[in-house]
Amino acid sequence: MKAAAPPDAAAKPPSKKMAMISAIVAVLVLGGGGAGWYFTQSKGGEEAEETAKPSKKKKKAKAQAPPVFAPLEVFTVNLQPDGEEENMLQTTITLEMLGQEQADLIKANMPKVRSRVLLLLSAKKASDVKTVEGKNKLAEEILEALKKPFAEHDEPQEVNEVMFTQFIIQSQ
């Protein structure tokens, strides 16, 4: 017959080595579970976002495309009289667009582009466009005019910026 275990053996605390191994296993299990949750949740979130908002993905792809610059020919117009003084404006404009497709659309509709710009320029007085603020306001007005669709049911053009590369006001 076996002798019963002494009461000291049952009450013996676990060794430090066993406690260290248990702690390491717990950290690995929790870390692995957390990493697994992170990767499954973030991947699913991206897929849901892509399916919910495909237009944002398309716009983001266009935003990553390098800008295309389209220089326009020189514009020379008579400005509206400022009192009795008559002035002439000569300017060169460059347009910035995202993608060659937009640049091709602008080039294909160049008569409409030039007409819109000429009408805006010829309606100004020299005092309206002499200051930096006046030039910035004019650039914004040109930008708005060029973004309007060329045909009735077309989408607006995606022109990002209007830049003056030459700007001369001369008294006549």
Side-chain angles (χ1 to χ4, degrees), residues 51-104:
T51 57
K53 301 176 183 176
S55 63
K56 280 198 172 187
K57 183 179 178 186
K58 186 178 177 182
K59 286 183 180 180
K60 188 176 182 181
K62 284 186 179 180
Q64 293 173 351
V68 177
F69 296 96
L72 304 180
E73 291 181 26
V74 175
F75 292 91
T76 304
V77 296
N78 289 321
L79 296 172
Q80 293 297 312
D82 249 351
E84 297 209 11
E85 186 177 324
E86 291 187 20
N87 295 297
M88 181 182 74
L89 170 67
Q90 184 176 37
T91 186
T92 306
I93 297 172
T94 299
L95 305 176
E96 178 187 331
M97 293 147 288
L98 288 179
Q100 189 60 43
E101 182 180 320
Q102 285 297 311
D104 292 342

mmCIF file of all heavy atoms in Angstrom, residues 51-104:
data_model
loop_
_atom_site.group_PDB
_atom_site.id
_atom_site.type_symbol
_atom_site.label_atom_id
_atom_site.label_comp_id
_atom_site.label_asym_id
_atom_site.label_seq_id
_atom_site.Cartn_x
_atom_site.Cartn_y
_atom_site.Cartn_z
ATOM 1 N N THR A 51 -16.603 49.398 -51.393
ATOM 2 C CA THR A 51 -17.860 49.093 -52.058
ATOM 3 C C THR A 51 -18.891 50.172 -51.807
ATOM 4 O O THR A 51 -19.730 50.437 -52.654
ATOM 5 C CB THR A 51 -18.413 47.727 -51.580
ATOM 6 O OG1 THR A 51 -18.554 47.767 -50.153
ATOM 7 C CG2 THR A 51 -17.498 46.599 -51.994
ATOM 8 N N ALA A 52 -18.829 50.828 -50.650
ATOM 9 C CA ALA A 52 -19.810 51.861 -50.340
ATOM 10 C C ALA A 52 -19.542 53.158 -51.088
ATOM 11 O O ALA A 52 -20.463 53.874 -51.442
ATOM 12 C CB ALA A 52 -19.831 52.130 -48.839
ATOM 13 N N LYS A 53 -18.275 53.481 -51.342
ATOM 14 C CA LYS A 53 -17.932 54.758 -51.953
ATOM 15 C C LYS A 53 -16.967 54.580 -53.118
ATOM 16 O O LYS A 53 -15.808 54.942 -53.029
ATOM 17 C CB LYS A 53 -17.306 55.680 -50.904
ATOM 18 C CG LYS A 53 -18.220 55.950 -49.726
ATOM 19 C CD LYS A 53 -17.527 56.780 -48.689
ATOM 20 C CE LYS A 53 -18.405 56.981 -47.475
ATOM 21 N NZ LYS A 53 -17.739 57.683 -46.422
ATOM 22 N N PRO A 54 -17.423 54.037 -54.234
ATOM 23 C CA PRO A 54 -16.503 53.859 -55.359
ATOM 24 C C PRO A 54 -16.088 55.182 -55.992
ATOM 25 O O PRO A 54 -15.033 55.287 -56.563
ATOM 26 C CB PRO A 54 -17.302 53.000 -56.345
ATOM 27 C CG PRO A 54 -18.731 53.257 -56.000
ATOM 28 C CD PRO A 54 -18.750 53.541 -54.517
ATOM 29 N N SER A 55 -16.920 56.219 -55.887
ATOM 30 C CA SER A 55 -16.565 57.488 -56.505
ATOM 31 C C SER A 55 -15.381 58.135 -55.797
ATOM 32 O O SER A 55 -14.569 58.794 -56.425
ATOM 33 C CB SER A 55 -17.765 58.427 -56.501
ATOM 34 O OG SER A 55 -18.137 58.723 -55.170
ATOM 35 N N LYS A 56 -15.269 57.953 -54.474
ATOM 36 C CA LYS A 56 -14.121 58.509 -53.760
ATOM 37 C C LYS A 56 -12.846 57.818 -54.200
ATOM 38 O O LYS A 56 -11.809 58.443 -54.316
ATOM 39 C CB LYS A 56 -14.299 58.375 -52.245
ATOM 40 C CG LYS A 56 -15.184 59.427 -51.658
ATOM 41 C CD LYS A 56 -14.984 59.517 -50.180
ATOM 42 C CE LYS A 56 -15.737 60.712 -49.656
ATOM 43 N NZ LYS A 56 -15.473 60.969 -48.273
ATOM 44 N N LYS A 57 -12.917 56.500 -54.441
ATOM 45 C CA LYS A 57 -11.734 55.771 -54.891
ATOM 46 C C LYS A 57 -11.313 56.285 -56.268
ATOM 47 O O LYS A 57 -10.136 56.476 -56.533
ATOM 48 C CB LYS A 57 -12.024 54.269 -54.939
ATOM 49 C CG LYS A 57 -10.826 53.435 -55.323
ATOM 50 C CD LYS A 57 -11.164 51.976 -55.321
ATOM 51 C CE LYS A 57 -9.957 51.160 -55.747
ATOM 52 N NZ LYS A 57 -10.284 49.750 -55.890
ATOM 53 N N LYS A 58 -12.286 56.540 -57.129
ATOM 54 C CA LYS A 58 -11.997 57.047 -58.467
ATOM 55 C C LYS A 58 -11.368 58.435 -58.384
ATOM 56 O O LYS A 58 -10.398 58.732 -59.068
ATOM 57 C CB LYS A 58 -13.295 57.090 -59.276
ATOM 58 C CG LYS A 58 -13.113 57.463 -60.722
ATOM 59 C CD LYS A 58 -14.440 57.419 -61.445
ATOM 60 C CE LYS A 58 -14.312 57.863 -62.871
ATOM 61 N NZ LYS A 58 -15.593 57.878 -63.566
ATOM 62 N N LYS A 59 -11.919 59.297 -57.525
ATOM 63 C CA LYS A 59 -11.372 60.639 -57.371
ATOM 64 C C LYS A 59 -9.974 60.584 -56.776
ATOM 65 O O LYS A 59 -9.115 61.373 -57.136
ATOM 66 C CB LYS A 59 -12.284 61.499 -56.494
ATOM 67 C CG LYS A 59 -13.555 61.926 -57.201
ATOM 68 C CD LYS A 59 -14.385 62.825 -56.332
ATOM 69 C CE LYS A 59 -15.654 63.246 -57.063
ATOM 70 N NZ LYS A 59 -16.474 64.123 -56.249
ATOM 71 N N LYS A 60 -9.742 59.638 -55.859
ATOM 72 C CA LYS A 60 -8.419 59.509 -55.257
ATOM 73 C C LYS A 60 -7.401 59.085 -56.314
ATOM 74 O O LYS A 60 -6.283 59.568 -56.337
ATOM 75 C CB LYS A 60 -8.464 58.494 -54.109
ATOM 76 C CG LYS A 60 -7.200 58.427 -53.315
ATOM 77 C CD LYS A 60 -7.351 57.480 -52.143
ATOM 78 C CE LYS A 60 -6.090 57.441 -51.321
ATOM 79 N NZ LYS A 60 -6.204 56.522 -50.191
ATOM 80 N N ALA A 61 -7.819 58.191 -57.217
ATOM 81 C CA ALA A 61 -6.912 57.761 -58.288
ATOM 82 C C ALA A 61 -6.589 58.938 -59.204
ATOM 83 O O ALA A 61 -5.454 59.099 -59.644
ATOM 84 C CB ALA A 61 -7.540 56.624 -59.087
ATOM 85 N N LYS A 62 -7.597 59.773 -59.494
ATOM 86 C CA LYS A 62 -7.340 60.947 -60.327
ATOM 87 C C LYS A 62 -6.440 61.939 -59.602
ATOM 88 O O LYS A 62 -5.628 62.606 -60.213
ATOM 89 C CB LYS A 62 -8.653 61.629 -60.707
ATOM 90 C CG LYS A 62 -9.415 60.912 -61.789
ATOM 91 C CD LYS A 62 -10.617 61.711 -62.200
ATOM 92 C CE LYS A 62 -11.388 61.015 -63.300
ATOM 93 N NZ LYS A 62 -12.559 61.779 -63.703
ATOM 94 N N ALA A 63 -6.623 62.045 -58.292
ATOM 95 C CA ALA A 63 -5.817 62.985 -57.521
ATOM 96 C C ALA A 63 -4.347 62.577 -57.519
ATOM 97 O O ALA A 63 -3.476 63.416 -57.371
ATOM 98 C CB ALA A 63 -6.339 63.087 -56.095
ATOM 99 N N GLN A 64 -4.078 61.290 -57.692
ATOM 100 C CA GLN A 64 -2.706 60.821 -57.701
ATOM 101 C C GLN A 64 -2.057 60.973 -59.078
ATOM 102 O O GLN A 64 -0.857 60.835 -59.199
ATOM 103 C CB GLN A 64 -2.653 59.366 -57.255
ATOM 104 C CG GLN A 64 -3.041 59.206 -55.795
ATOM 105 C CD GLN A 64 -3.152 57.750 -55.385
ATOM 106 O OE1 GLN A 64 -3.101 56.853 -56.212
ATOM 107 N NE2 GLN A 64 -3.294 57.526 -54.096
ATOM 108 N N ALA A 65 -2.858 61.246 -60.100
ATOM 109 C CA ALA A 65 -2.305 61.437 -61.437
ATOM 110 C C ALA A 65 -1.542 62.765 -61.465
ATOM 111 O O ALA A 65 -1.922 63.717 -60.805
ATOM 112 C CB ALA A 65 -3.431 61.462 -62.469
ATOM 113 N N PRO A 66 -0.467 62.827 -62.236
ATOM 114 C CA PRO A 66 0.284 64.086 -62.301
ATOM 115 C C PRO A 66 -0.548 65.149 -63.019
ATOM 116 O O PRO A 66 -1.324 64.847 -63.913
ATOM 117 C CB PRO A 66 1.525 63.717 -63.110
ATOM 118 C CG PRO A 66 1.141 62.514 -63.887
ATOM 119 C CD PRO A 66 0.125 61.790 -63.068
ATOM 120 N N PRO A 67 -0.392 66.403 -62.632
ATOM 121 C CA PRO A 67 -1.165 67.462 -63.284
ATOM 122 C C PRO A 67 -0.706 67.666 -64.723
ATOM 123 O O PRO A 67 0.447 67.444 -65.064
ATOM 124 C CB PRO A 67 -0.867 68.694 -62.429
ATOM 125 C CG PRO A 67 0.422 68.403 -61.761
ATOM 126 C CD PRO A 67 0.486 66.916 -61.580
ATOM 127 N N VAL A 68 -1.656 68.088 -65.551
ATOM 128 C CA VAL A 68 -1.371 68.404 -66.952
ATOM 129 C C VAL A 68 -1.627 69.895 -67.123
ATOM 130 O O VAL A 68 -2.639 70.415 -66.666
ATOM 131 C CB VAL A 68 -2.285 67.583 -67.890
ATOM 132 C CG1 VAL A 68 -2.052 67.972 -69.337
ATOM 133 C CG2 VAL A 68 -2.070 66.098 -67.687
ATOM 134 N N PHE A 69 -0.698 70.574 -67.771
ATOM 135 C CA PHE A 69 -0.811 72.013 -67.972
ATOM 136 C C PHE A 69 -1.139 72.283 -69.437
ATOM 137 O O PHE A 69 -0.517 71.712 -70.333
ATOM 138 C CB PHE A 69 0.491 72.720 -67.586
ATOM 139 C CG PHE A 69 0.805 72.567 -66.123
ATOM 140 C CD1 PHE A 69 1.662 71.574 -65.692
ATOM 141 C CD2 PHE A 69 0.221 73.402 -65.187
ATOM 142 C CE1 PHE A 69 1.943 71.417 -64.343
ATOM 143 C CE2 PHE A 69 0.495 73.259 -63.839
ATOM 144 C CZ PHE A 69 1.363 72.257 -63.419
ATOM 145 N N ALA A 70 -2.120 73.157 -69.659
ATOM 146 C CA ALA A 70 -2.530 73.516 -71.011
ATOM 147 C C ALA A 70 -2.378 75.031 -71.173
ATOM 148 O O ALA A 70 -3.201 75.800 -70.664
ATOM 149 C CB ALA A 70 -3.975 73.098 -71.258
ATOM 150 N N PRO A 71 -1.320 75.471 -71.856
ATOM 151 C CA PRO A 71 -1.173 76.914 -72.091
ATOM 152 C C PRO A 71 -2.157 77.373 -73.164
ATOM 153 O O PRO A 71 -2.355 76.700 -74.171
ATOM 154 C CB PRO A 71 0.275 77.049 -72.551
ATOM 155 C CG PRO A 71 0.664 75.698 -73.050
ATOM 156 C CD PRO A 71 -0.204 74.695 -72.358
ATOM 157 N N LEU A 72 -2.778 78.511 -72.934
ATOM 158 C CA LEU A 72 -3.683 79.100 -73.917
ATOM 159 C C LEU A 72 -2.922 80.172 -74.677
ATOM 160 O O LEU A 72 -1.944 80.727 -74.176
ATOM 161 C CB LEU A 72 -4.903 79.707 -73.222
ATOM 162 C CG LEU A 72 -5.712 78.769 -72.311
ATOM 163 C CD1 LEU A 72 -6.894 79.521 -71.708
ATOM 164 C CD2 LEU A 72 -6.188 77.541 -73.048
ATOM 165 N N GLU A 73 -3.399 80.481 -75.874
ATOM 166 C CA GLU A 73 -2.758 81.533 -76.662
ATOM 167 C C GLU A 73 -2.967 82.883 -75.967
ATOM 168 O O GLU A 73 -3.832 83.038 -75.117
ATOM 169 C CB GLU A 73 -3.359 81.570 -78.063
ATOM 170 C CG GLU A 73 -3.006 80.345 -78.895
ATOM 171 C CD GLU A 73 -3.603 80.440 -80.297
ATOM 172 O OE1 GLU A 73 -3.844 81.563 -80.787
ATOM 173 O OE2 GLU A 73 -3.816 79.368 -80.883
ATOM 174 N N VAL A 74 -2.191 83.862 -76.376
ATOM 175 C CA VAL A 74 -2.248 85.200 -75.786
ATOM 176 C C VAL A 74 -3.624 85.811 -76.009
ATOM 177 O O VAL A 74 -4.210 85.690 -77.085
ATOM 178 C CB VAL A 74 -1.158 86.106 -76.416
ATOM 179 C CG1 VAL A 74 -1.275 87.525 -75.897
ATOM 180 C CG2 VAL A 74 0.212 85.542 -76.153
ATOM 181 N N PHE A 75 -4.131 86.469 -74.965
ATOM 182 C CA PHE A 75 -5.385 87.220 -75.042
ATOM 183 C C PHE A 75 -5.040 88.705 -75.045
ATOM 184 O O PHE A 75 -4.290 89.179 -74.181
ATOM 185 C CB PHE A 75 -6.286 86.939 -73.830
ATOM 186 C CG PHE A 75 -6.840 85.544 -73.789
ATOM 187 C CD1 PHE A 75 -6.161 84.528 -73.133
ATOM 188 C CD2 PHE A 75 -8.047 85.262 -74.401
ATOM 189 C CE1 PHE A 75 -6.678 83.250 -73.082
ATOM 190 C CE2 PHE A 75 -8.569 83.980 -74.358
ATOM 191 C CZ PHE A 75 -7.881 82.968 -73.699
ATOM 192 N N THR A 76 -5.587 89.454 -76.009
ATOM 193 C CA THR A 76 -5.421 90.903 -76.045
ATOM 194 C C THR A 76 -6.812 91.502 -76.163
ATOM 195 O O THR A 76 -7.523 91.241 -77.145
ATOM 196 C CB THR A 76 -4.546 91.334 -77.234
ATOM 197 O OG1 THR A 76 -3.303 90.643 -77.154
ATOM 198 C CG2 THR A 76 -4.299 92.828 -77.220
ATOM 199 N N VAL A 77 -7.202 92.282 -75.143
ATOM 200 C CA VAL A 77 -8.554 92.858 -75.126
ATOM 201 C C VAL A 77 -8.498 94.311 -74.690
ATOM 202 O O VAL A 77 -7.586 94.728 -73.976
ATOM 203 C CB VAL A 77 -9.500 92.088 -74.167
ATOM 204 C CG1 VAL A 77 -9.711 90.666 -74.613
ATOM 205 C CG2 VAL A 77 -9.016 92.145 -72.738
ATOM 206 N N ASN A 78 -9.499 95.068 -75.139
ATOM 207 C CA ASN A 78 -9.713 96.418 -74.622
ATOM 208 C C ASN A 78 -10.515 96.272 -73.337
ATOM 209 O O ASN A 78 -11.540 95.592 -73.309
ATOM 210 C CB ASN A 78 -10.482 97.274 -75.627
ATOM 211 C CG ASN A 78 -9.625 97.625 -76.820
ATOM 212 O OD1 ASN A 78 -8.442 97.910 -76.681
ATOM 213 N ND2 ASN A 78 -10.233 97.602 -78.003
ATOM 214 N N LEU A 79 -10.050 96.933 -72.288
ATOM 215 C CA LEU A 79 -10.764 96.916 -71.028
ATOM 216 C C LEU A 79 -11.829 97.996 -71.029
ATOM 217 O O LEU A 79 -11.788 98.930 -71.844
ATOM 218 C CB LEU A 79 -9.786 97.133 -69.869
ATOM 219 C CG LEU A 79 -8.728 96.039 -69.688
ATOM 220 C CD1 LEU A 79 -7.717 96.465 -68.634
ATOM 221 C CD2 LEU A 79 -9.358 94.712 -69.308
ATOM 222 N N GLN A 80 -12.775 97.896 -70.114
ATOM 223 C CA GLN A 80 -13.811 98.920 -69.968
ATOM 224 C C GLN A 80 -13.141 100.221 -69.533
ATOM 225 O O GLN A 80 -12.172 100.205 -68.764
ATOM 226 C CB GLN A 80 -14.851 98.487 -68.929
ATOM 227 C CG GLN A 80 -15.668 97.283 -69.355
ATOM 228 C CD GLN A 80 -16.498 97.579 -70.590
ATOM 229 O OE1 GLN A 80 -17.191 98.599 -70.670
ATOM 230 N NE2 GLN A 80 -16.414 96.701 -71.576
ATOM 231 N N PRO A 81 -13.618 101.349 -70.002
ATOM 232 C CA PRO A 81 -12.989 102.628 -69.651
ATOM 233 C C PRO A 81 -13.044 102.902 -68.153
ATOM 234 O O PRO A 81 -14.037 102.626 -67.497
ATOM 235 C CB PRO A 81 -13.792 103.669 -70.416
ATOM 236 C CG PRO A 81 -14.663 102.929 -71.347
ATOM 237 C CD PRO A 81 -14.744 101.515 -70.897
ATOM 238 N N ASP A 82 -11.950 103.440 -67.649
ATOM 239 C CA ASP A 82 -11.853 103.894 -66.261
ATOM 240 C C ASP A 82 -11.896 105.415 -66.318
ATOM 241 O O ASP A 82 -10.876 106.067 -66.538
ATOM 242 C CB ASP A 82 -10.524 103.449 -65.649
ATOM 243 C CG ASP A 82 -10.688 102.401 -64.578
ATOM 244 O OD1 ASP A 82 -11.837 102.140 -64.180
ATOM 245 O OD2 ASP A 82 -9.671 101.837 -64.143
ATOM 246 N N GLY A 83 -13.076 105.978 -66.218
ATOM 247 C CA GLY A 83 -13.197 107.426 -66.431
ATOM 248 C C GLY A 83 -13.015 107.698 -67.905
ATOM 249 O O GLY A 83 -13.701 107.156 -68.739
ATOM 250 N N GLU A 84 -12.014 108.553 -68.230
ATOM 251 C CA GLU A 84 -11.756 108.855 -69.638
ATOM 252 C C GLU A 84 -10.589 108.051 -70.176
ATOM 253 O O GLU A 84 -10.316 108.096 -71.372
ATOM 254 C CB GLU A 84 -11.493 110.363 -69.785
ATOM 255 C CG GLU A 84 -12.702 111.163 -69.396
ATOM 256 C CD GLU A 84 -12.762 112.477 -70.132
ATOM 257 O OE1 GLU A 84 -11.996 112.682 -71.085
ATOM 258 O OE2 GLU A 84 -13.605 113.288 -69.743
ATOM 259 N N GLU A 85 -9.926 107.315 -69.309
ATOM 260 C CA GLU A 85 -8.746 106.553 -69.709
ATOM 261 C C GLU A 85 -9.151 105.182 -70.248
ATOM 262 O O GLU A 85 -9.928 104.465 -69.626
ATOM 263 C CB GLU A 85 -7.819 106.379 -68.502
ATOM 264 C CG GLU A 85 -6.495 105.729 -68.843
ATOM 265 C CD GLU A 85 -5.595 105.662 -67.620
ATOM 266 O OE1 GLU A 85 -5.628 106.590 -66.804
ATOM 267 O OE2 GLU A 85 -4.881 104.676 -67.504
ATOM 268 N N GLU A 86 -8.649 104.860 -71.419
ATOM 269 C CA GLU A 86 -8.895 103.540 -72.002
ATOM 270 C C GLU A 86 -7.627 102.711 -71.869
ATOM 271 O O GLU A 86 -6.519 103.221 -72.063
ATOM 272 C CB GLU A 86 -9.311 103.672 -73.464
ATOM 273 C CG GLU A 86 -10.679 104.304 -73.623
ATOM 274 C CD GLU A 86 -11.165 104.271 -75.055
ATOM 275 O OE1 GLU A 86 -10.664 103.452 -75.849
ATOM 276 O OE2 GLU A 86 -12.068 105.069 -75.363
ATOM 277 N N ASN A 87 -7.808 101.447 -71.543
ATOM 278 C CA ASN A 87 -6.674 100.548 -71.330
ATOM 279 C C ASN A 87 -6.846 99.269 -72.131
ATOM 280 O O ASN A 87 -7.958 98.858 -72.477
ATOM 281 C CB ASN A 87 -6.549 100.192 -69.842
ATOM 282 C CG ASN A 87 -6.214 101.386 -69.001
ATOM 283 O OD1 ASN A 87 -5.170 101.987 -69.162
ATOM 284 N ND2 ASN A 87 -7.121 101.748 -68.098
ATOM 285 N N MET A 88 -5.718 98.649 -72.371
ATOM 286 C CA MET A 88 -5.683 97.383 -73.078
ATOM 287 C C MET A 88 -5.012 96.364 -72.156
ATOM 288 O O MET A 88 -4.073 96.692 -71.424
ATOM 289 C CB MET A 88 -4.880 97.543 -74.367
ATOM 290 C CG MET A 88 -4.798 96.291 -75.195
ATOM 291 S SD MET A 88 -3.800 96.533 -76.681
ATOM 292 C CE MET A 88 -2.180 96.551 -75.982
ATOM 293 N N LEU A 89 -5.488 95.139 -72.191
ATOM 294 C CA LEU A 89 -4.902 94.053 -71.404
ATOM 295 C C LEU A 89 -4.371 92.991 -72.344
ATOM 296 O O LEU A 89 -5.057 92.574 -73.281
ATOM 297 C CB LEU A 89 -5.962 93.429 -70.474
ATOM 298 C CG LEU A 89 -5.565 92.130 -69.766
ATOM 299 C CD1 LEU A 89 -4.446 92.374 -68.760
ATOM 300 C CD2 LEU A 89 -6.771 91.513 -69.073
ATOM 301 N N GLN A 90 -3.142 92.582 -72.080
ATOM 302 C CA GLN A 90 -2.564 91.453 -72.812
ATOM 303 C C GLN A 90 -2.131 90.449 -71.752
ATOM 304 O O GLN A 90 -1.349 90.782 -70.853
ATOM 305 C CB GLN A 90 -1.373 91.885 -73.661
ATOM 306 C CG GLN A 90 -0.824 90.747 -74.499
ATOM 307 C CD GLN A 90 0.305 91.216 -75.403
ATOM 308 O OE1 GLN A 90 1.114 92.049 -75.025
ATOM 309 N NE2 GLN A 90 0.341 90.666 -76.598
ATOM 310 N N THR A 91 -2.662 89.237 -71.851
ATOM 311 C CA THR A 91 -2.350 88.217 -70.859
ATOM 312 C C THR A 91 -2.234 86.840 -71.501
ATOM 313 O O THR A 91 -2.851 86.572 -72.534
ATOM 314 C CB THR A 91 -3.406 88.207 -69.727
ATOM 315 O OG1 THR A 91 -3.002 87.303 -68.718
ATOM 316 C CG2 THR A 91 -4.773 87.795 -70.218
ATOM 317 N N THR A 92 -1.444 86.024 -70.872
ATOM 318 C CA THR A 92 -1.316 84.625 -71.263
ATOM 319 C C THR A 92 -1.719 83.791 -70.056
ATOM 320 O O THR A 92 -1.316 84.087 -68.925
ATOM 321 C CB THR A 92 0.131 84.282 -71.678
ATOM 322 O OG1 THR A 92 0.538 85.195 -72.690
ATOM 323 C CG2 THR A 92 0.230 82.874 -72.217
ATOM 324 N N ILE A 93 -2.512 82.768 -70.305
ATOM 325 C CA ILE A 93 -3.061 81.941 -69.229
ATOM 326 C C ILE A 93 -2.658 80.492 -69.457
ATOM 327 O O ILE A 93 -2.653 80.002 -70.587
ATOM 328 C CB ILE A 93 -4.602 82.061 -69.198
ATOM 329 C CG1 ILE A 93 -5.003 83.506 -68.884
ATOM 330 C CG2 ILE A 93 -5.224 81.084 -68.217
ATOM 331 C CD1 ILE A 93 -6.481 83.783 -69.023
ATOM 332 N N THR A 94 -2.348 79.809 -68.365
ATOM 333 C CA THR A 94 -2.099 78.368 -68.389
ATOM 334 C C THR A 94 -3.081 77.719 -67.434
ATOM 335 O O THR A 94 -3.279 78.200 -66.316
ATOM 336 C CB THR A 94 -0.656 78.043 -67.965
ATOM 337 O OG1 THR A 94 0.244 78.675 -68.881
ATOM 338 C CG2 THR A 94 -0.396 76.549 -67.971
ATOM 339 N N LEU A 95 -3.708 76.629 -67.883
ATOM 340 C CA LEU A 95 -4.673 75.903 -67.064
ATOM 341 C C LEU A 95 -4.031 74.636 -66.516
ATOM 342 O O LEU A 95 -3.272 73.968 -67.215
ATOM 343 C CB LEU A 95 -5.898 75.523 -67.898
ATOM 344 C CG LEU A 95 -6.610 76.658 -68.623
ATOM 345 C CD1 LEU A 95 -7.733 76.106 -69.492
ATOM 346 C CD2 LEU A 95 -7.139 77.666 -67.635
ATOM 347 N N GLU A 96 -4.358 74.311 -65.279
ATOM 348 C CA GLU A 96 -3.896 73.056 -64.680
ATOM 349 C C GLU A 96 -5.085 72.118 -64.520
ATOM 350 O O GLU A 96 -6.113 72.485 -63.977
ATOM 351 C CB GLU A 96 -3.276 73.305 -63.306
ATOM 352 C CG GLU A 96 -2.828 72.015 -62.634
ATOM 353 C CD GLU A 96 -2.370 72.212 -61.217
ATOM 354 O OE1 GLU A 96 -1.862 73.305 -60.885
ATOM 355 O OE2 GLU A 96 -2.515 71.278 -60.426
ATOM 356 N N MET A 97 -4.908 70.887 -65.023
ATOM 357 C CA MET A 97 -5.943 69.861 -64.927
ATOM 358 C C MET A 97 -5.321 68.567 -64.453
ATOM 359 O O MET A 97 -4.103 68.397 -64.543
ATOM 360 C CB MET A 97 -6.589 69.628 -66.290
ATOM 361 C CG MET A 97 -7.385 70.800 -66.774
ATOM 362 S SD MET A 97 -7.334 70.978 -68.545
ATOM 363 C CE MET A 97 -5.705 71.549 -68.808
ATOM 364 N N LEU A 98 -6.151 67.665 -63.968
ATOM 365 C CA LEU A 98 -5.666 66.340 -63.599
ATOM 366 C C LEU A 98 -5.997 65.382 -64.725
ATOM 367 O O LEU A 98 -7.158 65.116 -65.001
ATOM 368 C CB LEU A 98 -6.311 65.855 -62.291
ATOM 369 C CG LEU A 98 -5.828 66.548 -61.044
ATOM 370 C CD1 LEU A 98 -6.543 66.006 -59.816
ATOM 371 C CD2 LEU A 98 -4.335 66.379 -60.860
ATOM 372 N N GLY A 99 -4.981 64.906 -65.381
ATOM 373 C CA GLY A 99 -5.177 63.904 -66.416
ATOM 374 C C GLY A 99 -5.219 64.476 -67.813
ATOM 375 O O GLY A 99 -5.719 65.576 -68.053
ATOM 376 N N GLN A 100 -4.703 63.690 -68.724
ATOM 377 C CA GLN A 100 -4.644 64.087 -70.128
ATOM 378 C C GLN A 100 -6.036 64.158 -70.745
ATOM 379 O O GLN A 100 -6.273 64.947 -71.650
ATOM 380 C CB GLN A 100 -3.760 63.092 -70.907
ATOM 381 C CG GLN A 100 -3.458 63.514 -72.323
ATOM 382 C CD GLN A 100 -2.715 64.838 -72.408
ATOM 383 O OE1 GLN A 100 -1.792 65.081 -71.643
ATOM 384 N NE2 GLN A 100 -3.111 65.689 -73.330
ATOM 385 N N GLU A 101 -6.977 63.378 -70.233
ATOM 386 C CA GLU A 101 -8.337 63.375 -70.773
ATOM 387 C C GLU A 101 -8.972 64.766 -70.668
ATOM 388 O O GLU A 101 -9.602 65.248 -71.611
ATOM 389 C CB GLU A 101 -9.183 62.354 -70.005
ATOM 390 C CG GLU A 101 -10.596 62.228 -70.497
ATOM 391 C CD GLU A 101 -11.380 61.211 -69.692
ATOM 392 O OE1 GLU A 101 -10.825 60.149 -69.350
ATOM 393 O OE2 GLU A 101 -12.562 61.495 -69.402
ATOM 394 N N GLN A 102 -8.782 65.422 -69.539
ATOM 395 C CA GLN A 102 -9.333 66.769 -69.354
ATOM 396 C C GLN A 102 -8.625 67.777 -70.261
ATOM 397 O O GLN A 102 -9.259 68.663 -70.825
ATOM 398 C CB GLN A 102 -9.204 67.205 -67.894
ATOM 399 C CG GLN A 102 -10.196 66.540 -66.979
ATOM 400 C CD GLN A 102 -11.630 66.906 -67.334
ATOM 401 O OE1 GLN A 102 -11.977 68.067 -67.505
ATOM 402 N NE2 GLN A 102 -12.477 65.902 -67.438
ATOM 403 N N ALA A 103 -7.311 67.633 -70.412
ATOM 404 C CA ALA A 103 -6.563 68.532 -71.291
ATOM 405 C C ALA A 103 -7.040 68.378 -72.736
ATOM 406 O O ALA A 103 -7.197 69.374 -73.456
ATOM 407 C CB ALA A 103 -5.070 68.259 -71.192
ATOM 408 N N ASP A 104 -7.296 67.145 -73.151
ATOM 409 C CA ASP A 104 -7.793 66.901 -74.510
ATOM 410 C C ASP A 104 -9.186 67.508 -74.701
ATOM 411 O O ASP A 104 -9.495 68.042 -75.770
ATOM 412 C CB ASP A 104 -7.824 65.400 -74.810
ATOM 413 C CG ASP A 104 -6.433 64.793 -74.890
ATOM 414 O OD1 ASP A 104 -5.448 65.558 -75.061
ATOM 415 O OD2 ASP A 104 -6.313 63.556 -74.772
#
